[in-house]
Amino acid sequence: MNAVTLATDATSLSPLALFLQADIVVKGVMLGLLLASIWTWAIIIGFALKLSKTASASDKFERDFWKADDIDTFFKLHSESDLPSARVFVAGITEWRRSTVAGRPVDREGTRARLSTAMGSGIATEVDKMSERLNMLATIGSVAPFVGLFGTVWGIMRAFTSIAAEQNSSLAVVAPGIAEALFATAIGLFAAIPAVIAYNRFSHRINRIEAKLGRFADGFHSTLSRELESVG
């Protein structure tokens, strides 16, 4: 085989050529997987920036909280904040005010239990909000390889059809179809692998944020519990 033929074969097996040569079904699979890959990276980048910003802002909020001298003033400043730690704080203060209405007897044990429930519910709500897009990464990570495999099976079927039509089983006849098929699998893996890695990594980070919120809620609960001792 001369150099010109080798160059032509290499060009015909390039990713763009493989896409253009594929039939409509395999093209649809490839385009769908490419869109899934782009969507995956958009989610990864956006989620990474969001988690980093949330973690940094939450650290600052907690530092300011433990330095605050007046909880009521601090509540007014942060009652509209969207930070997870701030929402847990607001849930605790809201329940505290409902349970310690002036002029009514205070059920200390009942108040402690309600405070714990309110802040625990607040933590669960914030974790659910942060985890909203993780299910999409999990879906892409689990489904994309099978979609690519479907494209592979279809492409191989097409290659065998070409063999039957031309009654020629030489490599030149079957190579393009098989290459298209394998290219679909490669795109599926290209979409799935980053999605799975990102899902595991983000799940770990969210678990750490949840644990940190739990520690903050426990500390705040202890503070309010001590305050209950002075409430009549």
Side-chain angles (χ1 to χ4, degrees), residues 14 21 26 43 61 66 84 118 129 146 156 162 192-193 214 225 231:
S14 67
Q21 293 167 9
V26 180
I43 293 174
F61 173 86
W66 294 116
K129 288 180 182 178
F146 294 101
I156 291 175
S162 298
I193 291 173
S225 183
V231 176

Side-chain angles (χ1 to χ4, degrees), residues 57-76:
S58 293
D59 287 342
K60 182 179 184 305
F61 173 86
E62 292 185 28
R63 288 195 301 268
D64 293 343
F65 169 78
W66 294 116
K67 293 178 182 177
D69 295 324
D70 189 341
I71 294 296
D72 289 331
T73 300
F74 190 81
F75 175 79
K76 291 178 182 178

Side-chain angles (χ1 to χ4, degrees), residues 61 65 68-81 86-97 220:
F61 173 86
F65 169 78
D69 295 324
D70 189 341
I71 294 296
D72 289 331
T73 300
F74 190 81
F75 175 79
K76 291 178 182 178
L77 291 174
H78 297 279
S79 60
E80 300 299 325
S81 175
R87 302 314 303 164
V88 172
F89 164 71
V90 169
I93 288 294
T94 301
E95 183 55 45
W96 168 267
R97 290 179 173 178
F220 187 36

Side-chain angles (χ1 to χ4, degrees), residues 142-164:
S142 60
V143 172
F146 294 101
V147 176
L149 182 60
F150 169 75
T152 297
V153 172
W154 189 274
I156 291 175
M157 289 171 58
R158 183 167 173 260
F160 281 115
T161 302
S162 298
I163 293 173

Side-chain angles (χ1 to χ4, degrees), residues 5 36 93 113 116 141 158 173 182 201:
T5 304
I93 288 294
S116 179
R158 183 167 173 260
V173 173
L182 295 177
R201 180 58 183 167

Side-chain angles (χ1 to χ4, degrees), residues 178-191:
I178 294 176
E180 294 165 17
L182 295 177
F183 187 49
T185 297
I187 297 176
L189 294 176
F190 182 74

Side-chain angles (χ1 to χ4, degrees), residues 1-2 22 26 49 67 73 80 92 109 112-113 115 118 123 126 136 138 145 153 158 168-169 171 175 200 205 210 212:
M1 184 178 290
N2 57 37
V26 180
L49 293 175
K67 293 178 182 177
T73 300
E80 300 299 325
E109 292 305 315
R112 290 188 178 98
L115 285 170
I123 291 173
E126 295 306 313
M136 184 54 62
V153 172
R158 183 167 173 260
N168 186 346
S169 60
L171 186 60
N200 291 332
R205 292 183 65 180
E210 182 179 9
K212 191 170 185 179

